[in-house]
Amino acid sequence: MELSATSLRDKLQRDLEADHVEVEDTTLNRCAASFRVLVVSAKFEGKPLLQRHRLVNECLAEELPHIHAFEQKTLTPEQWARERQK
Amino acid sequence: MSGTLRRAAAALLRWGPGAGGVGLRGAGVRAAGAGTGAGGGGQAEQLDALVKKDKVVVFLKGTPEQPQCGFSNAVVQILRLHGVRDYAAYNVLDDPELRQGIKDYSNWPTIPQVYLNGEFVGGCDILLQMHQNGDLVEELKKLGIRSALLDEKKDEDSK
């Protein structure tokens, strides 16, 4: 299994039909494979934070056991547009 | 009685109030011991009881006094900011079965994990966002816990 920012991004983009995905490999700051992701998807609409994070966790169920630290932010396209205006 | 069941029962007893390893520490945070060897089919029931025993329950890597991971530390600091002192903290590094068991029970792949009133809230990212958007103050209020941040705000207002 490939564990890279690119492979994670591709998977999130595809499975969550994401408008926008950012994956930052934070491994250098830590002791083992670490990533920070931002996922923007219409699939998150009407879902509380917990459900959104569960969708991401399910999408990366195969990879997560091999990732030491994982941070995620999940936004709807609308929230993402608002965030970018800030 | 099978060995597994006996061990499960013993572990359950250890989780009870006043059990070994469960004592008041520091600012009232209980560094609770979940007991080991609690495998088998009974574990979900035991975890169910564990998360419901206290209003605020956290599963950490390390203890509130000495978190062993940045994310666990963040959870401890957020609770501290809100003046939440009376919570049960379980160190998953002390107990490999608890470490895996709570992941399975919550269907959540990472530690830390936070429970409020027996309900799974999420991990560090979610608690942090709830802290930032004000939801945490509201959730604590539902538990009858007044966030210390409200008092701080009042102090500022009255200055």
Side-chain angles (χ1 to χ4, degrees), chain B residues 5 13 15 17 20 23 28 40 54 62 66 80 90 93 101 106-107 121 123 130 132 147 150-151 153-154 157:
Chain B
L5 262 176
L13 282 176
W15 288 349
D54 298 275
Q66 270 191 312
R80 194 179 56 84
Y90 296 91
L93 297 181
S106 309
N107 185 25
V121 166
M130 285 171 69
Q132 287 164 344
S147 168
L150 291 172
D151 297 325
K153 197 165 176 293
K154 207 166 61 187
D157 291 347

Side-chain angles (χ1 to χ4, degrees), chain A residues 30 49-50 53-54 57 64 69-72, chain B residues 71 106-109 120-122 125-126 129:
Chain A
R30 305 185 189 277
L49 213 43
L50 182 62
H53 282 222
R54 282 205 192 280
N57 290 344
L64 279 176
F70 187 73
E71 294 163 76
Q72 55 172 304
Chain B
F71 300 114
S106 309
N107 185 25
W108 193 258
F120 180 59
V121 166
D125 288 329
I126 290 183
Q129 284 176 61

Side-chain angles (χ1 to χ4, degrees), chain A residues 4 9-11 18-19 28 53 55 59 67 74 79 86:
Chain A
S4 70
R9 184 170 53 230
D10 290 350
K11 201 163 187 183
D19 293 10
L28 284 178
H53 282 222
L55 283 176
C59 174
I67 297 175
T74 47
Q79 288 175 318
K86 279 180 194 166

Side-chain angles (χ1 to χ4, degrees), chain B residues 28-148:
Chain B
V29 176
R30 270 147 304 138
T36 50
Q43 205 192 10
E45 281 163 44
Q46 291 169 37
L47 290 173
D48 203 51
L50 195 68
V51 301
K52 289 178 176 148
K53 197 155 72 84
D54 298 275
K55 281 186 189 173
V56 181
V57 178
V58 297
F59 296 87
L60 304 173
K61 286 182 178 172
T63 63
E65 295 80 15
Q66 270 191 312
Q68 301 289 317
C69 141
F71 300 114
S72 289
N73 184 42
V75 164
V76 170
Q77 297 311 323
I78 291 167
L79 291 175
R80 194 179 56 84
L81 269 176
H82 287 264
V84 182
R85 289 195 179 83
D86 187 25
Y87 63 92
Y90 296 91
N91 181 1
V92 302
L93 297 181
D94 278 349
D95 187 342
E97 283 194 48
L98 176 68
R99 186 174 180 173
Q100 188 53 48
I102 196 62
K103 287 180 185 178
D104 295 340
Y105 175 79
S106 309
N107 185 25
W108 193 258
T110 50
I111 307 288
Q113 297 189 9
V114 180
Y115 278 83
L116 297 179
N117 225 8
E119 295 236 355
F120 180 59
V121 166
C124 171
D125 288 329
I126 290 183
L127 195 70
L128 186 61
Q129 284 176 61
M130 285 171 69
H131 163 65
Q132 287 164 344
N133 67 20
D135 284 354
L136 186 55
V137 170
E138 295 305 312
E139 290 301 317
L140 289 173
K141 196 185 283 173
K142 285 186 204 162
L143 305 183
I145 301 171
R146 183 178 163 79
S147 168

